Amino acid sequence: MATTRLDRELKKGSAELLILSLVETRARHGYEIGKLIEDRSGGTLKFNVASLYPLLYRLEARGWIQGRWVDKAGQRRRRYYKLTVAGRKVLGAQRTTWQTFAAAISRIAGVQHA
Amino acid sequence: MATTRLDRELKKGSAELLILSLVETRARHGYEIGKLIEDRSGGTLKFNVASLYPLLYRLEARGWIQGRWVDKAGQRRRRYYKLTVAGRKVLGAQRTTWQTFAAAISRIAGVQHA
DNA sequence: CTTGATGTATCGTATAACCATATATGGCTA
DNA sequence: TAGCCATATATGGTTATACGATACATCAAG
């Protein structure tokens, strides 16, 4: 079946919310974030690296996450990102936004959410 | 507060689902669809005409909706769109996709849906 | 020594939203 | 009767962005 494009677009809109959520309780590096999203969604959500990394840079440039390089023997260097104070506020706002949108869409599209 | 862009992106992804849903039971014209989405979402969802009309043309080009010009005295001509058989199948698939995504995002982002 | 998983990075291209603007009609009001 | 608002459709040009492809780098497994 042809991809409806809806799924792709949906990923775009929720990308920031997903990333901010994952670095909420602890610092994580890019690759880990990508894998976590894929795994926890059961393969439903999957980010291309060419989308994921630029997104991380953007979030850092906005001051919502803070990156730190970590070198460890026997490993490629990783950049760990953690949520900033400003990012925490944004995350809270985005969670509310998400719920509002999900409710509105479900109502108009006639989708019942469990 | 600065727009987080999440809301804008979310609209993009759900636009097709919303439109297909609104022309499911009866034919509607563009302006009406725009107003319905805005009204039924309580202002949360709002489409720019420069996004809405091209989207309608795209959906029609794909054969998911079928447009028909209707002239009526004392009114500007309107183009009424109705769901096609192919569109009905797509709508069903998109509803399923939407539910799957909403569940995945809520799970990862730690958002509880009522 | 080749393959695959891990890990970060980006060029180029295609897609698409939307601002601004245009056209057209009817009703209300000053 | 001129102005403005709601209705209704249409699009050129700008801008943002996702992602395929590709690159580089390290280590384990076979």
Side-chain angles (χ1 to χ4, degrees):
Chain A
M1 190 195 89
T3 304
T4 58
R5 189 149 269 114
L6 177 74
D7 52 345
R8 210 191 85 193
E9 298 297 333
L10 244 32
K11 276 190 289 186
K12 297 203 293 194
S14 53
E16 292 181 4
L17 171 62
L18 256 19
I19 294 175
L20 293 177
S21 294
L22 288 175
V23 296
E24 187 184 14
T25 56
R26 44 175 290 199
R28 298 185 195 275
H29 57 96
Y31 192 84
E32 183 186 7
I33 291 171
K35 285 292 166 208
L36 273 175
I37 290 174
E38 194 176 347
D39 293 346
R40 293 195 183 172
S41 69
T44 299
L45 272 18
K46 182 166 164 50
F47 283 97
N48 190 293
V49 292
S51 305
L52 180 61
Y53 289 106
L55 190 47
L56 287 171
Y57 308 150
R58 215 158 64 221
L59 294 179
E60 186 173 21
R62 288 181 194 153
W64 298 349
I65 60 176
Q66 172 71 50
R68 185 172 64 92
W69 280 112
V70 175
D71 281 289
K72 204 175 168 185
Q75 277 184 339
R76 201 198 189 294
R77 62 201 301 243
R78 296 164 168 172
R79 191 164 175 82
Y80 281 84
Y81 294 95
K82 64 172 183 177
L83 200 64
T84 64
V85 173
R88 195 169 297 276
K89 287 186 183 179
V90 172
L91 175 56
Q94 291 209 356
R95 280 200 171 114
T96 301
T97 299
W98 163 251
Q99 282 174 303
T100 303
F101 272 105
I105 291 166
S106 293
R107 188 162 60 250
I108 297 173
V111 183
Q112 52 271 27
H113 39 140
Chain B
M1 191 194 88
T3 303
T4 58
R5 189 148 270 117
L6 177 74
D7 52 345
R8 210 191 84 194
E9 297 298 333
L10 243 33
K11 276 189 290 186
K12 296 203 294 193
S14 53
E16 292 180 4
L17 171 62
L18 256 20
I19 293 175
L20 294 177
S21 294
L22 287 176
V23 296
E24 186 183 15
T25 55
R26 44 175 290 198
R28 298 186 195 275
H29 57 94
Y31 193 84
E32 183 187 7
I33 291 171
K35 285 292 166 210
L36 273 175
I37 290 175
E38 193 176 348
D39 293 347
R40 292 195 183 172
S41 70
T44 299
L45 272 17
K46 182 166 164 52
F47 283 97
N48 191 292
V49 294
S51 305
L52 181 62
Y53 289 105
L55 189 47
L56 287 171
Y57 308 150
R58 215 158 66 223
L59 294 179
E60 186 173 21
R62 287 182 194 152
W64 297 350
I65 59 176
Q66 171 71 49
R68 184 171 64 92
W69 280 111
V70 174
D71 281 289
K72 204 174 168 185
Q75 277 184 340
R76 200 196 188 295
R77 62 203 300 245
R78 295 164 168 172
R79 191 165 175 80
Y80 282 83
Y81 295 95
K82 64 172 184 178
L83 200 64
T84 64
V85 173
R88 195 169 297 277
K89 287 187 182 178
V90 173
L91 175 56
Q94 290 209 357
R95 280 199 172 116
T96 301
T97 300
W98 163 252
Q99 283 174 303
T100 303
F101 272 104
I105 291 166
S106 293
R107 187 163 61 250
I108 298 173
V111 183
Q112 53 272 26
H113 39 140

